[in-house]
Amino acid sequence: MRWTQIYIPTLREDPAEAELISHKLLLRAGFMRKVTAGVYNYLPLMQRVLHKISNITREEMNRAGALEVTMPVLHPAEVWQASGRWDVVGKEQMRLKDRHQRDLVLGGTHEEIITTLIKGELRSYRQLPLNMYQIQVKFRDEIRPRFGLMRGREFIMKDAYSFDRDEEGLKIAYQKMVDAYFRIFRRCGFDIRKVESDTGQMGGTGAHEFMVVVDTEGGENTIFYCDKCEYAANQDKATFISDQPDERENEKLPLEEVHTPDRKTIEEVTDFLKLPAERLVKTLLYRADDQIVAALIRGDRQINEIKLKNESGCLELEMADAPTVQSITGSEVGFAGPCDLKRVKFFLDEEVSKMANFVTGANKTDYHYKNVNAGRDFRVDHITDLKLAEGGERCPHCEKGSLKTDRGIEVGNTFMLGTKYSEALKAYFVDADGKDKPFVMGSYGVGITRTAQAVAERFNDKYGIIWPKSIAPFGIVITPTNYQDEKLKEIADQIHGELEKKGLEVILDDRDERAGVKFNDADLIGFPLRVTVGERGLAKGQVEVKVRRTGEVTSMDLDPAADKIAEIYDRID
Ligand code: ATP
Ligand code: MG
């Protein structure tokens, strides 16, 4: 391929629209252009990268026995209504109406479509297990599309769906996908981490996410992992062993109202009362659909809203606004407490359930209560874990190690769905015993476009992107320092031809540009290997090869340069 025959609009300056390094680099290096929020054109270099990631994914899916299909992007609303997710997915779903005013959906995932596809047709247990996948565009009306391809409204995903007779079968199917995911992401150059995750609106019995660890803002997720055992979970899911002593047998002291003028925050109240934050219990009021719920957690903890949402079983959870808090508590914001609080359901964190004689707001402006006790002073509706995990806490798995944190980009995930969709959509097969049973399902996603950008976020330096060989847009760039020079042109053309004959993906920079510009562009784009054909080298009958990742330079005689270049290319990653 010749540079002048491909479209690579590189930019000299960082585009203002980009925050992340990968986003800047992909724009500057001419891989993509924004159309509107969360929607991009993928230019020729990006298209090549996406093909490679897709092909690696395809190979590993096929190797795991999954079958490629293509399902529609356009879905009738009815399948989503039938599964019950029309309401659950809510605003994230891209919806439109056809000319007859019928509701349609631009698919953001395909559990409904695939379950409907096999329903009624795949009838015998003998046809199981089955796993089908596609690599296709998805639409999601994300609240905050950002970071380029990391969180788009239109993006490419590989999604696979497994169907089994029973839980045993699902476990096997799930493990095959997990193994395939490790192979896919390792082939993309990542040291991938598998972490436990929440099943969220997907439902089901268990899930994992595949994370690329980065130390930049691009790592939107916090990952918790144990320094002694295999435990690893994302922030939604992570738990830890609490240091809270069990005080339930302690003597319960009489409730006492204390004047705390203008002391609203945990810090202000604890300073004023000269108590540590863990003696305080925060009462956080939320609107859970059309109900108000109160979450009670220790003053030094943060709340995990995902856990609260799951526990309350609501579709939408948001913090109650100030007027609501005022009307519920009859006081200013900052003095909410569980005693005498009417019309709300209480969710107690496990730690709070073990505490005695704690401090809470008194639902009266400028007052708190001391010596509050659950059960005696207020009704307990639910006891559960509501805490956000924190680094340094004790591992919930081995109970010995301490939790560490990292930032991660979620590039893939796997869900054990169980029978949630097959039951909702009434998709049954006839088992060996002649009985109708719902399919036991799994679903498995890889963000193809997000993976491409995650590579750029993970592998770069001050000069540009550093693509692993497996997914680089071209493996080798040949840079003649002056293509107008007959001799340089001849040698560059010759090496180009020979490398192409070897089946390597080579791009020849035949532009009439200064050598410095060409070198900069080559580094910015991040081809794994650069062959420099320059006057000084040629005077000695040599060309120079530079490995992008390591900076290692090798000079070699012209004859047989192509063989040597291929050798070096062969041994780099
Ligand atoms: P997230 O928590 O990041 O929103 P998700 O849990 O919604 O992701 P899934 O529905 O499981 O993601 O989708 C499977 C994969 O698709 C994700 O692991 C991710 O790689 C990719 N993906 C999800 N949403 C987007 C998006 N808005 N833009 C680009 N890729 C995405
Ligand atoms: Mg999402």
Side-chain angles (χ1 to χ4, degrees), residues 119-317:
K119 171 184 171 173
E121 278 203 79
L122 197 171
R123 284 292 287 154
S124 167
Y125 72 94
R126 288 194 191 87
Q127 293 163 281
L128 298 174
L130 180 70
N131 185 332
M132 295 199 278
Y133 75 97
Q134 60 177 348
I135 298 175
Q136 191 209 42
V137 65
K138 293 276 183 280
F139 292 87
R140 290 186 190 178
D141 200 354
E142 299 277 357
I143 304 181
R144 279 216 295 165
R146 59 174 190 163
F147 295 163
L149 307 186
M150 294 285 195
R151 189 164 295 284
R153 293 195 298 164
E154 174 175 338
F155 57 97
I156 302 173
M157 198 204 284
K158 182 287 300 178
D159 44 327
Y161 305 89
S162 67
F163 296 87
D164 279 276
R165 283 171 80 177
D166 50 26
E167 285 290 330
E168 279 308 298
L170 170 59
K171 276 199 190 122
I172 295 166
Y174 192 84
Q175 190 56 43
K176 276 190 188 165
M177 288 293 106
V178 166
D179 293 344
Y181 275 28
F182 273 111
R183 288 196 298 264
I184 291 167
F185 293 122
R186 283 179 182 153
R187 285 179 65 182
C188 292
F190 295 133
D191 173 16
I192 197 78
R193 286 257 199 103
K194 174 182 152 228
V195 306
E196 287 175 26
S197 61
D198 184 65
T199 50
Q201 46 115 324
M202 281 292 195
T205 47
H208 290 90
E209 288 175 348
F210 290 76
M211 297 280 191
V212 175
V213 174
V214 291
D215 53 13
T216 64
E217 227 192 306
E220 278 191 292
N221 305 273
T222 306
I223 312 171
F224 292 81
Y225 63 97
C226 176
D227 62 0
K228 292 224 164 54
C229 77
E230 295 299 293
Y231 179 76
N234 72 7
Q235 186 157 40
D236 298 344
K237 182 81 179 171
T239 59
F240 58 89
I241 298 199
S242 158
D243 56 5
Q244 174 63 48
D246 193 341
E247 302 166 345
R248 279 172 289 194
E249 300 298 311
N250 291 13
E251 185 194 347
K252 294 187 175 55
L253 304 174
L255 193 65
E256 189 186 322
E257 191 179 89
V258 283
H259 192 214
T260 50
D262 262 347
R263 299 335 192 259
K264 296 178 184 172
T265 65
I266 298 290
E267 257 190 351
E268 288 164 351
V269 178
T270 51
D271 275 359
F272 185 74
L273 297 177
K274 302 202 172 24
L275 285 170
E278 57 262 35
R279 293 313 309 164
L280 225 89
V281 168
K282 293 192 259 198
T283 305
L284 305 170
L285 296 172
Y286 282 87
R287 187 177 286 283
D289 298 336
D290 46 15
Q291 256 198 68
I292 301 291
V293 302
L296 271 64
I297 58 168
R298 231 168 66 175
D300 60 328
R301 301 294 189 203
Q302 300 300 317
I303 185 148
N304 180 330
E305 293 183 348
I306 302 282
K307 290 180 183 171
L308 178 61
K309 186 172 177 202
N310 289 345
E311 200 62 31
S312 69
C314 68
L315 298 180
E316 300 266 357
L317 182 85

